Amino acid sequence: MIKAAIYGASGYTGQELLRILLRHGGVEVTAATSRRYAGRPVADLYPAFTGQTDLLFEEASPDQIAARCDVVFLALPHEVSMAVAGAFLERGVKVVDLSADFRLRDETVYERWYAPHTAREYLQEAVYGLTELYRDAVRKARLVANPGCYPTSVILGLAPLLRMKWIDPDSIIADSKSGVSGAGREPVVNSLFCEVDEAFKAYKVGQHRHTPEIEQELGALAGTKVTVSFTPHLLPLSRGILSTIYATLREEVTTADALALYESFYRNETFIRVYKEGAFPNVSSVRGSNFCDIGLTVDGRTGRVIVVSVIDNLIKGASGQAVQNMNLMCGLPEDEGLRMMPLYP
Amino acid sequence: MIKAAIYGASGYTGQELLRILLRHGGVEVTAATSRRYAGRPVADLYPAFTGQTDLLFEEASPDQIAARCDVVFLALPHEVSMAVAGAFLERGVKVVDLSADFRLRDETVYERWYAPHTAREYLQEAVYGLTELYRDAVRKARLVANPGCYPTSVILGLAPLLRMKWIDPDSIIADSKSGVSGAGREPVVNSLFCEVDEAFKAYKVGQHRHTPEIEQELGALAGTKVTVSFTPHLLPLSRGILSTIYATLREEVTTADALALYESFYRNETFIRVYKEGAFPNVSSVRGSNFCDIGLTVDGRTGRVIVVSVIDNLIKGASGQAVQNMNLMCGLPEDEGLRMMPLYP
Amino acid sequence: MIKAAIYGASGYTGQELLRILLRHGGVEVTAATSRRYAGRPVADLYPAFTGQTDLLFEEASPDQIAARCDVVFLALPHEVSMAVAGAFLERGVKVVDLSADFRLRDETVYERWYAPHTAREYLQEAVYGLTELYRDAVRKARLVANPGCYPTSVILGLAPLLRMKWIDPDSIIADSKSGVSGAGREPVVNSLFCEVDEAFKAYKVGQHRHTPEIEQELGALAGTKVTVSFTPHLLPLSRGILSTIYATLREEVTTADALALYESFYRNETFIRVYKEGAFPNVSSVRGSNFCDIGLTVDGRTGRVIVVSVIDNLIKGASGQAVQNMNLMCGLPEDEGLRMMPLYP
Amino acid sequence: MIKAAIYGASGYTGQELLRILLRHGGVEVTAATSRRYAGRPVADLYPAFTGQTDLLFEEASPDQIAARCDVVFLALPHEVSMAVAGAFLERGVKVVDLSADFRLRDETVYERWYAPHTAREYLQEAVYGLTELYRDAVRKARLVANPGCYPTSVILGLAPLLRMKWIDPDSIIADSKSGVSGAGREPVVNSLFCEVDEAFKAYKVGQHRHTPEIEQELGALAGTKVTVSFTPHLLPLSRGILSTIYATLREEVTTADALALYESFYRNETFIRVYKEGAFPNVSSVRGSNFCDIGLTVDGRTGRVIVVSVIDNLIKGASGQAVQNMNLMCGLPEDEGLRMMPLYP
């Protein structure tokens, strides 16, 4: 059994990791840390875990945790992750970092959007963990930068078109909508039920920090610099991201052509489901699962392709993909622990 | 007192009309028809009306209702409206039609998207009732085609930019999200709570019937043919539409310039509220009111302007705007009956 | 025009007061205080108010505010209200207190459930502002203790039966369910969207502070000591309380008898709506209004009466009732500013 | 592998059965019937199943299906189930019936609340499938009447107290609240999103058909006739039932005593989780799982015990318990296919 620890386990991504790992056939969870809730049973904070684990949240240094695990998930805010990742790596512990700290290969870009980078020595070896695109590198990685939730939906939604150069890379608009769990469990007014319920808004228009991450990866796929309009919105639901992506076609292709391309591109992927012509995915069809569902249409009137992709932001957009990466890093079957069906309704 | 009737009063827009008119200082509601619920008190179907009105739904012909009113609201499905509008007009009754039947000036466009038109003789005199843009014509009209909910949000969101020719008319993408009440009260699986709750999807991608209506009005504003990408989505909430609109700028303008333009364009409008730089509206800020709130930003990175506009789809997107038009047609203050504050939270 | 101030205006009850008063024909709002948001326009915090008022939140002492108003609403936490009420009363300002501080006539009861009472000198003159039961006293009061939201629903639901002594006062069980706005706008984990959405729980079982308030008023109606089982629950919606109340009948009465009693008891009440036999109210039928809707049945199998009463917790359960009381205290029509229809759906 | 069929598979309980069985280690699903959707792939109706099964809904007689399975789940409306159950039983197929048709042992009670019974010959052998209470009988049964959702929550919530005769059997009040999926997928106005969202109501007060089922089983536990007040309510959420149950104590016991009794009574139960003193369960803590969580308190002030029990109505309240019963009937581990963690948030 692989020994896994969760460093920063009290938030929604932390508890989702634990939820998945407690039913994972190849992993034993040896520690779950939380400074705020140190000493309390996990089930105190999350009664859904009642009777399922005896784990207590604990406060412990990276060194202490490193001694007790083969792989660690860092479910920490950015800037905090990069402060602790090194301690694990130096002790031979594999790291899956769910923060943004190692996602941007160009540190100057990171510093423009985030903060000064304090662990540059690991930036080059960090593998961007969009598993479907970087599978071989993930297998060999000791540090995986788990992708952001929005980028996962947008990049998977566009990868085949960009790789084939069928679309104009300057025409991309990603209009994304996310459930509230993406904002985490911090008690802030903007995440209160009464503020979100029966409400819907755009936020950080033209300014969201996932923009450079999306552009880095779309650029890598296109083989050229890509600038996108990315607008995040907040949905009145807990789990799910839907991205509606618009791009101008450079080729005369039909919807059937584009779908055939996607079918082929994602042929061997367990977690990508391409819809038939005329069908578009709903976030409710992937809730509770690691799937990314994609539908698209070519609109002859405007010369654009419109792609709709959905994920569960806490699973394929965070903890599920993190486990998918861990499975590869540890030589386990890629879908181990991730075979759960979506929960509907 | 103006005598008003609601023809087809049992749906959500019908009851919303009644709700507004029962508190309207210049109008008396003389009839509310419904074939299905004929003979039943309004409060039986909508207990919110308990004690507020003695009206019964009745089944009655247009002729019978025409004899009892000065103005009629047709809250009917398309195709049904055009079959009855003439009977009212011929008897001198002013008509506000909430269906799509008289919105498209070109009957061939109507027939391509809807069905054969059976009341072409009224098409040319029908005034498109987006009040802020057609106020003078509405005042003189005897037949107003009340705008669709999505078009209201998109057209008000773009009018200043198109009138000034600041944007490329071929670059427009309207990504719109609507609450479920827009689908009406018909019992269909797609509108069930369990299908909509915790769910979000795009629908009729590239095919929604509001597309030609949007293009007609944007074209009129631009003075040239406009083709848009319009994608509607279904939000898990009852009331509200938010449209996120993207367009490529032809002029070098700043966000401040654009906002100044909007402030000026909508200077005398009671129901349009332009937000300050950096602020974007939430559907929850207009719920229960006739307001249309607008925010925007100019994104220098991509050369695009991004406009966000919100309305309550049942009020400014339907029944409120219908009353706003009726007020003008009947010589009443434009905001009579429409001064209600948004309900928040 | 009456000059009204809101002391503690930044929470949900404060903004609801402001929403009502801005459309009130006999009142001018002269001040809205908030320490945290001092200096900021109301519309910054609540964009729904955009263009409707120029008021800024201000930090000001009771003395300063007292000089600028005839009546003040204290929308403060308990313990804070009693610290400032005297300053207003001494300057001749009428006070409607929305906290619990002056609701319990017996200070020892207050101190057992809350905290030491620091303004006992006002306890005896404070009038419990359940308007329908204390109308005459409210008219003459200078200090009104506005009822709690749960007590309003329970007391109005049982008043006729207790006054007639038709039920066993020891048999009362009130199972109440409230929307989240009752918890206010404080950013706490328990009020986060992800914690409340798709969730439902009982809380403070057997321990909620509204219990003594309910017992005091039910006892006054019954003319004897009453002990109740009161269980509050948290609904995944913003506005609304529904109380399902069970009691054992001492008389052989039918549902028709009981409804006739309620009809008679509430005959002249604008804001109480008694439903017909077989009909029970939904919180959605009073949302956005000052109504309390009541349905009931006599269950012959068990010898119990079951009463269901609903209110909008922010309106009849707080700010609406506060304005209803202010109207009486100031000689205005009781329903002034409160004639709004429920918003449905 | 056990061959299982779902007769009537297109509703929410049908698809939930399929969801569970597709991940069940000991079962192969050989047929899923639906008259309305015959010929269509399951994933057409429920896109969550995309790529997970090739099953088509089919229209087939009981005889045809019986030839292809060892066990059948009847996910049919009452009256329809009893018309087909015999055909399966006669062909040696084990039957788990999710309707009410075989739950009431006394056919006259069935006929008073439902309709004439047309399969009385099977009534006496049918085993009431509340697994925790009838485990041994279920193992040997060839016809299991799977319990109703409300009764499951109420009976599990009271069983220890009634078995011990600690409460007065005439004092029981069950105030229950259910999510909307309990109403099934039929397109009716009352289940529309706009009718349920931001809404809450009691329904069928004193008249719900689960009343005699609850009374039959509570009576069996108490060893005497039991009459209850049972009030169902409709929650604005998809999954979950919470029952708040009140009863008068006949013994002087503490909360600790009562919890010790429950801990002991449910000691070996995988799916029953008893909470610690002061803790009460939330429906969100069991969503997506087969757990029934229970909390309680003894209220010295009123002499009552208050029990709160929660289940996922589609799982422990329907399809999960059905699989639990099937496991026993077929000699499989009781929790096979049912080890899923709750999905939170």
Side-chain angles (χ1 to χ4, degrees):
Chain A
M1 297 288 272
I2 303 289
K3 288 182 184 162
I6 306 171
Y7 206 81
S10 69
Y12 291 137
T13 51
Q15 72 94 24
E16 184 70 16
L17 278 165
L18 188 53
R19 200 178 74 86
I20 296 171
L21 295 174
L22 287 177
R23 292 294 184 271
H24 190 291
V27 164
E28 175 193 9
V29 182
T30 56
T33 77
S34 165
R35 191 167 304 171
R36 199 185 315 175
Y37 301 105
R40 293 182 55 188
V42 167
D44 259 24
L45 201 60
Y46 292 107
F49 287 88
T50 301
Q52 309 305 299
T53 177
D54 294 328
L55 273 176
L56 309 184
F57 291 114
E58 58 182 302
E59 181 170 2
S61 70
D63 283 3
Q64 291 171 311
I65 298 297
R68 291 156 49 195
C69 65
D70 305 309
V71 60
V72 70
F73 296 91
L74 306 182
L76 299 166
H78 62 84
E79 299 185 57
V80 183
S81 263
M82 61 187 176
V84 305
F88 289 100
L89 293 169
E90 285 164 24
R91 275 151 200 80
V93 173
K94 290 173 177 168
V95 173
V96 181
D97 176 28
L98 285 85
S99 88
D101 283 351
F102 299 99
R103 293 179 193 155
L104 298 173
R105 281 181 283 271
D106 181 342
E107 72 204 34
T108 64
V109 175
Y110 181 89
E111 299 193 338
R112 194 179 321 131
W113 290 83
Y114 291 90
H117 206 293
T118 62
R120 302 178 184 195
E121 62 273 32
Y122 299 113
L123 265 184
Q124 290 319 309
E125 72 163 295
V127 173
Y128 187 74
L130 196 60
T131 330
E132 284 75 13
L133 300 182
Y134 293 95
R135 183 170 286 118
D136 290 341
V138 168
R139 270 192 231 278
K140 297 172 219 145
R142 54 173 202 153
L143 170 58
V144 163
N146 211 57
C149 48
Y150 285 122
T152 296
S153 71
V154 174
I155 299 162
L156 289 173
L158 280 181
L161 287 168
L162 279 169
R163 189 67 66 77
M164 293 297 285
K165 302 188 191 302
W166 282 7
I167 55 173
D168 174 356
D170 285 337
S171 70
I172 298 169
I173 291 173
D175 191 279
S176 295
K177 302 87 177 176
S178 174
V180 188
S181 60
R185 205 174 185 239
E186 285 306 303
V188 296
V189 167
N190 281 345
S191 298
L192 290 179
F193 182 84
C194 289
E195 304 294 315
V196 174
D197 175 54
E198 297 295 295
F200 183 68
K201 66 174 181 183
Y203 65 100
K204 295 190 185 163
V205 181
Q207 302 182 335
H208 195 282
R209 284 164 161 169
H210 284 172
T211 308
E213 183 181 340
I214 293 169
E215 293 181 344
Q216 166 183 291
E217 294 303 318
L218 297 188
L221 284 159
T224 181
K225 187 174 180 334
V226 170
T227 306
V228 304
S229 287
F230 166 61
T231 312
H233 301 72
L234 189 66
L235 286 168
L237 53 79
S238 287
R239 283 174 182 252
I241 284 180
L242 183 148
S243 291
T244 312
I245 314 168
Y246 303 84
T248 300
L249 286 159
R250 299 205 287 208
E251 308 287 325
E252 279 225 354
V253 298
T254 64
T255 301
D257 296 335
L259 284 173
L261 168 64
Y262 276 64
E263 284 289 358
S264 163
F265 191 92
Y266 290 127
R267 185 179 339 115
N268 297 316
E269 295 300 340
T270 305
F271 295 120
I272 313 288
R273 307 192 295 190
V274 178
Y275 280 39
K276 288 181 299 192
E277 184 158 356
F280 291 87
N282 191 316
V283 293
S284 62
S285 294
V286 298
R287 181 177 52 228
S289 79
N290 199 47
F291 294 117
C292 172
D293 285 10
I294 300 174
L296 63 78
T297 196
V298 169
D299 182 9
R301 297 174 65 255
T302 59
R304 294 191 185 102
V305 61
I306 304 168
V307 182
V308 177
S309 76
V310 302
I311 56 171
D312 181 321
N313 57 298
L314 288 182
I315 305 188
K316 185 61 179 169
S319 305
Q321 187 152 249
V323 172
Q324 191 180 355
N325 286 322
M326 178 212 71
N327 285 338
L328 293 176
M329 295 163 82
C330 297
L332 299 165
E334 185 175 331
D335 66 347
E336 185 66 43
L338 298 171
R339 295 177 197 118
M340 56 274 198
M341 289 281 295
L343 186 73
Y344 183 88
Chain B
M1 297 287 271
I2 303 288
K3 289 180 182 162
I6 305 171
Y7 206 81
S10 69
Y12 291 137
T13 51
Q15 72 95 24
E16 184 70 16
L17 278 166
L18 188 53
R19 200 178 75 87
I20 295 171
L21 295 174
L22 286 177
R23 291 294 185 271
H24 189 291
V27 164
E28 176 193 8
V29 181
T30 56
T33 78
S34 164
R35 191 168 302 172
R36 199 186 314 175
Y37 300 104
R40 292 181 57 185
V42 167
D44 259 25
L45 202 59
Y46 292 106
F49 286 88
T50 300
Q52 308 305 299
T53 176
D54 295 328
L55 274 176
L56 309 183
F57 291 115
E58 57 182 303
E59 181 170 1
S61 70
D63 284 4
Q64 290 171 312
I65 298 299
R68 291 155 51 194
C69 65
D70 305 310
V71 61
V72 69
F73 295 91
L74 305 182
L76 300 165
H78 62 84
E79 300 185 57
V80 183
S81 263
M82 62 188 175
V84 304
F88 287 101
L89 293 170
E90 286 164 23
R91 275 152 201 78
V93 173
K94 290 173 177 168
V95 173
V96 181
D97 177 27
L98 285 85
S99 88
D101 283 351
F102 300 101
R103 292 179 194 155
L104 298 174
R105 281 182 283 271
D106 181 343
E107 72 205 34
T108 63
V109 175
Y110 180 89
E111 299 191 340
R112 195 179 319 132
W113 290 83
Y114 290 90
H117 205 292
T118 63
R120 302 179 184 193
E121 62 272 32
Y122 299 113
L123 265 183
Q124 290 319 308
E125 70 163 296
V127 173
Y128 187 73
L130 195 60
T131 329
E132 284 74 14
L133 300 182
Y134 292 95
R135 182 170 286 119
D136 291 341
V138 168
R139 270 192 233 279
K140 296 173 219 146
R142 54 174 201 152
L143 170 57
V144 162
N146 212 58
C149 49
Y150 286 122
T152 296
S153 71
V154 174
I155 299 163
L156 289 174
L158 280 181
L161 287 167
L162 279 170
R163 191 65 68 76
M164 292 298 285
K165 303 188 190 302
W166 283 7
I167 55 174
D168 173 356
D170 285 337
S171 71
I172 298 169
I173 292 174
D175 192 280
S176 295
K177 302 88 175 176
S178 174
V180 188
S181 60
R185 205 175 185 239
E186 285 307 303
V188 296
V189 167
N190 281 345
S191 298
L192 290 178
F193 183 84
C194 289
E195 303 293 316
V196 175
D197 174 55
E198 297 295 295
F200 183 68
K201 67 174 180 184
Y203 66 100
K204 295 189 184 163
V205 181
Q207 303 182 338
H208 195 282
R209 282 163 161 170
H210 283 172
T211 309
E213 183 182 339
I214 293 169
E215 292 180 345
Q216 167 183 289
E217 295 303 318
L218 296 189
L221 284 160
T224 182
K225 187 173 180 336
V226 169
T227 306
V228 303
S229 287
F230 166 61
T231 311
H233 301 72
L234 189 66
L235 286 168
L237 52 81
S238 287
R239 285 173 181 252
I241 284 180
L242 183 147
S243 290
T244 312
I245 314 168
Y246 303 83
T248 300
L249 286 159
R250 297 205 289 208
E251 309 287 325
E252 281 226 351
V253 297
T254 63
T255 301
D257 295 336
L259 285 172
L261 168 64
Y262 275 64
E263 284 288 0
S264 163
F265 192 91
Y266 289 128
R267 185 181 337 117
N268 298 315
E269 296 299 339
T270 305
F271 295 120
I272 313 289
R273 307 192 293 191
V274 179
Y275 280 39
K276 289 181 297 191
E277 185 157 356
F280 291 88
N282 192 316
V283 294
S284 63
S285 295
V286 299
R287 182 176 51 226
S289 79
N290 199 48
F291 294 117
C292 172
D293 285 9
I294 301 174
L296 63 79
T297 196
V298 168
D299 182 9
R301 296 174 67 255
T302 60
R304 295 191 186 102
V305 61
I306 304 168
V307 182
V308 177
S309 77
V310 302
I311 56 172
D312 181 321
N313 58 296
L314 288 182
I315 304 187
K316 184 61 179 172
S319 305
Q321 186 151 250
V323 171
Q324 190 180 356
N325 286 321
M326 180 212 70
N327 284 339
L328 292 176
M329 295 163 83
C330 297
L332 299 166
E334 187 174 331
D335 67 346
E336 184 67 43
L338 298 170
R339 295 178 197 119
M340 56 275 198
M341 288 282 295
L343 186 72
Y344 183 88
Chain C
M1 296 289 271
I2 302 289
K3 288 180 184 163
I6 305 171
Y7 206 82
S10 69
Y12 291 138
T13 51
Q15 72 95 24
E16 184 70 16
L17 278 166
L18 189 53
R19 201 179 74 86
I20 295 171
L21 295 175
L22 287 177
R23 290 294 184 271
H24 190 290
V27 164
E28 177 193 7
V29 181
T30 55
T33 77
S34 165
R35 191 168 302 172
R36 199 184 316 173
Y37 300 104
R40 292 181 57 187
V42 167
D44 258 25
L45 201 60
Y46 292 107
F49 286 88
T50 301
Q52 310 304 300
T53 177
D54 294 330
L55 273 176
L56 308 185
F57 291 114
E58 56 183 302
E59 182 169 2
S61 70
D63 284 2
Q64 291 171 311
I65 298 298
R68 291 156 51 193
C69 65
D70 306 310
V71 59
V72 70
F73 296 92
L74 306 182
L76 300 166
H78 63 85
E79 300 186 57
V80 183
S81 262
M82 61 188 176
V84 304
F88 288 101
L89 293 170
E90 285 164 25
R91 275 153 200 78
V93 174
K94 290 174 177 166
V95 173
V96 181
D97 176 27
L98 285 86
S99 88
D101 283 350
F102 299 99
R103 293 179 193 155
L104 298 175
R105 280 182 284 271
D106 180 342
E107 73 204 36
T108 63
V109 176
Y110 181 90
E111 299 192 339
R112 193 177 323 131
W113 290 82
Y114 290 90
H117 205 292
T118 62
R120 302 176 182 196
E121 61 273 32
Y122 299 113
L123 264 184
Q124 290 319 310
E125 72 162 297
V127 172
Y128 187 73
L130 195 60
T131 329
E132 285 74 13
L133 300 182
Y134 293 94
R135 183 170 285 119
D136 290 340
V138 168
R139 269 192 233 280
K140 297 173 220 147
R142 54 174 202 153
L143 170 57
V144 163
N146 211 57
C149 48
Y150 286 122
T152 296
S153 72
V154 174
I155 299 163
L156 289 174
L158 280 182
L161 286 168
L162 279 170
R163 190 67 66 78
M164 294 295 286
K165 303 190 190 302
W166 283 7
I167 54 173
D168 173 355
D170 284 337
S171 70
I172 298 169
I173 291 174
D175 192 279
S176 295
K177 303 88 176 174
S178 174
V180 189
S181 61
R185 204 175 185 237
E186 286 306 304
V188 296
V189 167
N190 281 344
S191 297
L192 290 178
F193 182 84
C194 288
E195 303 293 316
V196 174
D197 175 53
E198 297 296 293
F200 183 67
K201 66 172 180 184
Y203 66 100
K204 295 189 185 163
V205 181
Q207 304 182 334
H208 194 282
R209 284 165 161 169
H210 283 173
T211 308
E213 183 182 339
I214 292 170
E215 292 180 345
Q216 166 182 289
E217 295 303 319
L218 297 189
L221 284 159
T224 181
K225 187 172 180 336
V226 170
T227 306
V228 304
S229 287
F230 166 61
T231 311
H233 301 72
L234 189 67
L235 286 167
L237 52 80
S238 287
R239 283 174 182 253
I241 284 179
L242 182 147
S243 291
T244 311
I245 314 169
Y246 303 85
T248 300
L249 286 160
R250 298 205 287 206
E251 308 287 326
E252 280 227 352
V253 298
T254 64
T255 301
D257 294 336
L259 285 173
L261 168 65
Y262 276 64
E263 284 289 358
S264 163
F265 192 92
Y266 289 128
R267 185 179 338 115
N268 297 315
E269 295 299 341
T270 304
F271 295 120
I272 313 288
R273 307 191 296 188
V274 179
Y275 280 39
K276 289 181 298 192
E277 185 158 356
F280 290 87
N282 192 316
V283 295
S284 63
S285 294
V286 298
R287 181 177 52 226
S289 79
N290 199 48
F291 294 118
C292 172
D293 286 9
I294 301 175
L296 63 79
T297 197
V298 168
D299 182 9
R301 297 174 66 254
T302 59
R304 294 192 186 101
V305 61
I306 304 168
V307 182
V308 176
S309 76
V310 302
I311 56 171
D312 181 321
N313 58 298
L314 288 183
I315 306 188
K316 184 62 180 169
S319 305
Q321 186 153 250
V323 172
Q324 189 179 354
N325 286 322
M326 179 210 71
N327 285 338
L328 292 176
M329 296 163 83
C330 297
L332 298 166
E334 185 175 330
D335 67 346
E336 185 66 44
L338 298 171
R339 296 178 196 117
M340 55 275 199
M341 289 282 294
L343 187 72
Y344 183 89
Chain D
M1 296 288 271
I2 302 289
K3 288 181 183 163
I6 305 171
Y7 205 81
S10 69
Y12 291 138
T13 50
Q15 72 95 26
E16 184 70 17
L17 278 166
L18 189 53
R19 200 178 75 86
I20 294 170
L21 295 174
L22 287 177
R23 292 294 184 271
H24 189 291
V27 164
E28 175 193 8
V29 181
T30 56
T33 78
S34 164
R35 192 168 301 173
R36 199 184 316 174
Y37 300 104
R40 293 181 56 188
V42 167
D44 259 25
L45 201 60
Y46 292 107
F49 287 87
T50 300
Q52 309 305 299
T53 177
D54 294 328
L55 274 177
L56 308 184
F57 290 114
E58 57 182 301
E59 181 170 2
S61 69
D63 284 4
Q64 292 171 311
I65 298 299
R68 291 155 51 195
C69 65
D70 305 310
V71 60
V72 69
F73 295 92
L74 306 182
L76 299 166
H78 62 84
E79 300 185 56
V80 183
S81 262
M82 61 188 175
V84 305
F88 288 102
L89 292 170
E90 285 164 24
R91 275 151 201 79
V93 174
K94 290 174 177 168
V95 173
V96 181
D97 177 26
L98 285 85
S99 87
D101 283 350
F102 299 100
R103 293 179 194 155
L104 298 175
R105 282 182 283 270
D106 180 342
E107 73 205 34
T108 63
V109 175
Y110 181 88
E111 299 192 340
R112 194 178 321 133
W113 290 84
Y114 291 91
H117 205 291
T118 63
R120 301 178 184 193
E121 62 272 32
Y122 299 113
L123 266 183
Q124 290 319 310
E125 71 163 298
V127 172
Y128 187 74
L130 195 60
T131 329
E132 284 74 13
L133 301 182
Y134 293 95
R135 183 170 285 117
D136 291 340
V138 168
R139 270 193 233 278
K140 297 173 219 147
R142 55 173 201 153
L143 170 57
V144 163
N146 211 58
C149 48
Y150 285 122
T152 296
S153 71
V154 174
I155 299 162
L156 290 173
L158 280 182
L161 286 168
L162 279 169
R163 190 66 68 78
M164 294 296 285
K165 303 190 190 301
W166 284 7
I167 55 174
D168 173 356
D170 285 336
S171 70
I172 298 169
I173 291 173
D175 192 280
S176 294
K177 303 87 176 174
S178 173
V180 189
S181 60
R185 206 176 184 236
E186 285 306 303
V188 295
V189 168
N190 281 345
S191 298
L192 291 178
F193 183 84
C194 289
E195 304 292 316
V196 175
D197 174 54
E198 297 295 295
F200 183 67
K201 65 173 181 186
Y203 66 100
K204 296 189 186 165
V205 180
Q207 305 182 335
H208 195 282
R209 283 164 161 170
H210 283 172
T211 308
E213 183 181 340
I214 293 170
E215 292 180 346
Q216 165 182 291
E217 295 303 319
L218 296 190
L221 284 159
T224 181
K225 187 172 180 333
V226 170
T227 306
V228 304
S229 287
F230 166 60
T231 310
H233 301 72
L234 189 66
L235 285 168
L237 52 79
S238 286
R239 285 174 182 252
I241 283 180
L242 182 147
S243 291
T244 313
I245 314 168
Y246 303 85
T248 300
L249 286 160
R250 298 205 288 207
E251 309 286 326
E252 281 226 353
V253 298
T254 65
T255 301
D257 295 335
L259 285 172
L261 168 65
Y262 276 64
E263 284 288 359
S264 163
F265 192 92
Y266 290 127
R267 184 181 338 115
N268 297 317
E269 296 299 339
T270 305
F271 295 121
I272 313 289
R273 307 192 294 191
V274 179
Y275 280 39
K276 289 181 298 191
E277 185 159 355
F280 291 88
N282 192 315
V283 295
S284 63
S285 294
V286 298
R287 182 177 51 226
S289 80
N290 199 49
F291 294 117
C292 172
D293 286 9
I294 301 174
L296 63 80
T297 196
V298 168
D299 182 8
R301 295 174 67 254
T302 60
R304 296 193 184 101
V305 61
I306 303 168
V307 182
V308 176
S309 76
V310 303
I311 56 171
D312 181 321
N313 57 299
L314 289 182
I315 305 187
K316 184 61 179 170
S319 305
Q321 186 152 249
V323 172
Q324 190 179 355
N325 286 321
M326 180 211 70
N327 285 338
L328 292 176
M329 295 163 82
C330 297
L332 299 166
E334 187 175 331
D335 67 345
E336 185 67 44
L338 298 171
R339 295 178 196 117
M340 55 275 197
M341 288 282 294
L343 186 72
Y344 184 89

